[in-house]
Amino acid sequence: MKLTKVFALTALAALVSTNALAEKIKVGVMAGPEHEVAEVAAKVAKEKYGLDVEYVLFNDYALPNSAVSSKDLDANAMQHKPYLDKDSQEKGLNNLVIVGNTFVYPLAGYSKKIKNVSELKEGDVVAVPNDPSNLARALILLEKQGLIKLKDNTNLFSTSLDIVENPKKLKIQEVDTSVAARALDDVALAVVNNTYAGQVGLNASEHGVFVEDKDSPYVNIIVARDDNKDSKAIQDFVKAYQTEEVEAEAKKHFKDGVVKGW
């Protein structure tokens, strides 16, 4: 009886010790298809590294960086470097660092009214995301279609004021990034972030009138802080994300509209 009790206590102590040592990480991601992709990374992290990943879901890009900076989150996986740079500058977030790449999610132009940009009429309304980095990205994409000309198409923070030629006198309407896809009933064309396109059942390869080049500089990234970037938990999460399993899940959701960034 005593040996049984000793064994039971020893087993319980081992279990408590193991649970105490189990690594946990809290990561911010966008709700929708990107979250479903990230869940595969969590599964890999648990199986390969014993890392528990808890996701906090967001519906817009305004809060995740501040949450990492203030230690409410350990990391996030929802943006590209131009957005991080602009958001950090505007909010004074000087402790955020890039710890790994995920995917390029190309922007695309969608429409319920046209099949080709040549069908756009003079004065048609074109919706573009209004956050600084995606606005410039959308304008650069419109220039590549020959619809407008920018003062400097290498400026990743161009605005509508930088349009120097607009032959069709298109009305460039800046809308909240999260509702661009839902504006399709009201505009001739909308340039939409892949996250929000996926939330309304659209993907670039099947539904896009035009799609951003796959060599886009806008590769998405995993962001942590300078005080935890080298931790085992963060590094294991990056390794778990950068796997064939996660790439396969991304392609399932986004088809040809996603490119591995590592």
Side-chain angles (χ1 to χ4, degrees):
M1 181 66 72
K2 290 183 179 179
L3 286 175
T4 302
K5 286 185 178 179
V6 170
F7 177 79
L9 290 171
T10 303
L12 179 61
L15 179 62
V16 170
S17 176
T18 300
N19 287 339
L21 294 173
E23 289 187 290
K24 296 181 180 179
I25 188 173
K26 189 179 288 188
V27 180
V29 295
M30 298 301 291
E34 287 185 33
H35 169 227
E36 294 180 46
V37 173
E39 283 291 357
V40 176
K43 184 172 182 290
V44 173
K46 181 65 173 178
E47 292 174 352
K48 289 189 176 181
Y49 307 109
L51 175 64
D52 289 323
V53 180
E54 176 188 345
Y55 289 117
V56 176
L57 305 187
F58 293 88
N59 288 308
D60 63 55
Y61 293 88
L63 297 176
N65 283 329
S66 297
V68 174
S69 180
S70 64
K71 301 186 179 182
D72 291 321
L73 296 176
D74 298 300
N76 66 49
M78 37 61 67
Q79 66 193 312
H80 46 63
K81 186 176 184 297
Y83 184 86
L84 172 66
D85 290 346
K86 190 71 172 178
D87 200 39
S88 296
Q89 179 185 354
E90 290 179 349
K91 297 174 182 174
L93 309 176
N94 56 13
N95 62 342
L96 301 181
V97 294
I98 299 169
V99 291
N101 291 347
T102 60
F103 299 100
V104 178
Y105 292 101
L107 283 186
Y110 298 93
S111 177
K112 291 186 176 181
K113 299 177 174 62
I114 65 169
K115 299 294 184 184
N116 189 286
V117 292
S118 62
E119 299 172 39
L120 283 171
K121 301 180 181 67
E122 185 169 316
D124 271 347
V125 178
V126 176
V128 294
N130 66 356
D131 70 89
S133 60
N134 279 313
L135 170 59
R137 186 179 179 185
L139 294 175
I140 292 168
L141 182 56
L142 291 176
E143 183 183 81
K144 286 187 175 181
Q145 310 312 307
L147 296 173
I148 61 171
K149 184 172 178 57
L150 295 168
K151 187 186 305 181
D152 176 9
N153 62 13
T154 65
N155 178 8
L156 299 185
F157 296 102
S158 294
T159 71
S160 300
L161 297 176
D162 295 307
I163 298 173
V164 294
E165 292 181 22
N166 184 356
K168 290 192 174 184
K169 298 181 175 59
L170 299 172
K171 296 174 183 175
I172 308 299
Q173 182 177 332
E174 298 180 16
V175 300
D176 188 277
T177 308
S178 63
V179 301
R182 304 182 192 281
L184 285 171
D185 288 330
D186 305 314
V187 301
L189 180 77
V191 180
V192 183
N193 178 294
N194 225 348
T195 298
Y196 296 115
Q199 289 178 1
V200 296
L202 299 173
N203 70 72
S205 63
E206 291 182 10
H207 307 110
V209 176
F210 53 83
V211 184
E212 193 174 31
D213 293 338
K214 291 185 178 182
D215 60 358
S216 165
Y218 294 90
V219 60
N220 272 25
I221 52 180
I222 299 170
V223 172
R225 291 183 306 277
D226 50 18
D227 68 351
N228 73 346
K229 62 184 174 65
D230 296 319
S231 69
K232 186 176 185 302
I234 292 292
Q235 293 301 313
D236 285 347
F237 178 71
V238 173
K239 286 187 286 187
Y241 210 113
Q242 295 177 344
T243 55
E244 291 181 0
E245 295 96 318
V246 176
E247 181 185 8
E249 184 71 12
K251 288 189 176 297
K252 187 171 81 176
H253 289 279
F254 298 106
K255 304 201 170 25
D256 293 332
V258 62
V259 182
K260 182 172 72 172
W262 63 90

